Amino acid sequence: MNVAVKKYKPGKIRERNEELILEAAEQEFVLHGFKGTSVQAIADRAGLPKANIHYYFKNKSNLYSAVLSNIIDLWNDSLEDITADDDPAEVLRNVIRKKVELSYLHPRSSKLFAMEIIQGAPHIREYIRSDMRQWVRSKTKVFDAWIAAGKMDPIDPVHLIFMIWSTTQHYADFETQVLTLMNRAEYERDDIERITNCLVHVILKGCGLNP
Amino acid sequence: MNVAVKKYKPGKIRERNEELILEAAEQEFVLHGFKGTSVQAIADRAGLPKANIHYYFKNKSNLYSAVLSNIIDLWNDSLEDITADDDPAEVLRNVIRKKVELSYLHPRSSKLFAMEIIQGAPHIREYIRSDMRQWVRSKTKVFDAWIAAGKMDPIDPVHLIFMIWSTTQHYADFETQVLTLMNRAEYERDDIERITNCLVHVILKGCGLNP
DNA sequence: GTCTATAATCAGATAGAC
DNA sequence: GTCTATCTGATTATAGAC
């Protein structure tokens, strides 16, 4: 039997408060950037005294890194297990659908990640240089195999990946502009379906695949 | 004869200093956002005392608006004069080329505009709602005419425009990520050519046009 | 674990000498 | 037009009572 069982819900408060703070922090960081966000504003949004933020996360920089780390985990599981034997059309269809879905469900995550990159990626430079580069390398190999096998047009795999990222994340990052230009208050399920179909059509057909 | 001619280069200093300040401000705003940027940092970068910034531009908000206004002017001249009689393939080729070129030549402008939108477009909401929406409306009519004439696949024109914007501006906004993943220090002329050709191929072919 | 009070620093903006 | 000095308020972070 676990000894901790006798203690009164030991990590429960901590877990809940950390969650509250991370959520509030993400919102504030998206609205005002890292430097522009005050710890006070995060505390107010989380409904906690400012000092508690410093109690749970040593300082603003640590908190920001924690938020970014959560985001990277959330967006990391796509295209995970493809091989040269898979059907490229089906793989691309699934990736595009998944990315549009993520943009729909977690626009704020995408926005904060985008802001970090736009500002020169000062906090995640190393992640891009190592993990992300490794990931891209392994995927491009599969694309190259498909091209060599004549399964798709010879599109540079790296730029194809950029194209999928940019077109799908655009609906999260530029949400404000997109919705205003479409004269809508927020995305509906229908919109997501239409966007996905549109992107799948253009990108797959553009790669010489059957949409 | 102009009376001002007798005065000692009246607007010269003002013009030069305003230019210096706008340039420095754009750099700082991209790096730290509106709230995160201090007037002192802009002054330091411009090589002027802080008080001069307030002399030329009433306050930080005015300066920021001036920078954004410059950016909008710079990016505004594309797709300006297309008609239903034009060849869609040629128009799209030119637009993509022009947008990639702008991203190459003025990445900072694109970045700052992107940050403003990501943060909810607090300073340019009205511009998007009026001028930009009007512009999109007029262009979609041309696309619709092309589709009705069977000149291209029935791709929703609005999403096609978003696709062109997102894929081209990605190379400016996500410059840090793109260059790191491509293992390069900066874009070369060759890269720009390759990127343009790749985007032209996929998008045009994806729309049922001849790349 | 929680939160008030406070220290030390930095921000935007302006007055006023030059 | 230029720039130093300064006001006022906000900022991060911490100390210490509860």
Side-chain angles (χ1 to χ4, degrees), chain B residues 94-113:
Chain B
N94 285 338
V95 175
I96 293 169
R97 175 169 302 280
K98 211 163 173 180
K99 284 279 175 192
V100 173
E101 186 75 14
L102 268 174
S103 289
Y104 173 58
L105 294 176
H106 304 282
R108 274 205 319 260
S109 308
S110 182
K111 286 178 187 174
L112 188 53
F113 191 82

Side-chain angles (χ1 to χ4, degrees), chain A residues 116 119-130, chain B residues 176 180:
Chain A
E116 167 70 11
Q119 298 184 354
H123 295 79
I124 58 171
R125 230 165 226 285
E126 218 22 70
Y127 164 73
I128 298 174
R129 199 183 304 279
S130 55
Chain B
T176 308
T180 304

Side-chain angles (χ1 to χ4, degrees), chain B residues 107-124:
Chain B
R108 274 205 319 260
S109 308
S110 182
K111 286 178 187 174
L112 188 53
F113 191 82
M115 286 190 39
E116 168 68 11
I117 307 265
I118 291 173
Q119 298 185 353
H123 295 78
I124 58 170

Side-chain angles (χ1 to χ4, degrees), chain A residues 22 26 29 57 61-76 109 112-113 116 123-124 127 131:
Chain A
L22 285 168
E26 188 181 85
F29 282 137
F57 300 86
S61 190
N62 270 25
L63 173 52
Y64 182 72
S65 294
V67 174
L68 277 182
S69 177
N70 274 359
I71 291 174
I72 288 173
D73 288 347
L74 178 66
W75 287 76
N76 231 357
S109 309
L112 188 53
F113 192 82
E116 167 70 11
H123 295 79
I124 58 171
Y127 164 73
D131 295 33

Side-chain angles (χ1 to χ4, degrees), chain B residues 15-67:
Chain B
E15 201 177 328
R16 172 166 164 72
N17 280 348
E18 281 183 356
E19 197 50 52
L20 273 174
I21 294 167
L22 285 167
E23 171 76 10
E26 188 181 85
Q27 295 190 42
E28 287 298 322
F29 283 135
V30 167
L31 288 173
H32 304 115
F34 174 68
K35 270 198 70 179
T37 294
S38 72
V39 177
Q40 184 65 62
I42 296 172
D44 290 348
R45 191 181 281 273
L48 293 169
K50 185 174 60 159
N52 290 31
I53 312 287
H54 285 98
Y55 172 71
Y56 285 110
F57 301 86
K58 205 169 83 85
N59 53 38
K60 191 166 85 160
S61 190
N62 270 25
L63 173 53
Y64 182 71
S65 293
V67 174

Side-chain angles (χ1 to χ4, degrees), chain A residues 37-39 50 54:
Chain A
T37 294
S38 73
V39 178
K50 186 176 58 162
H54 284 97

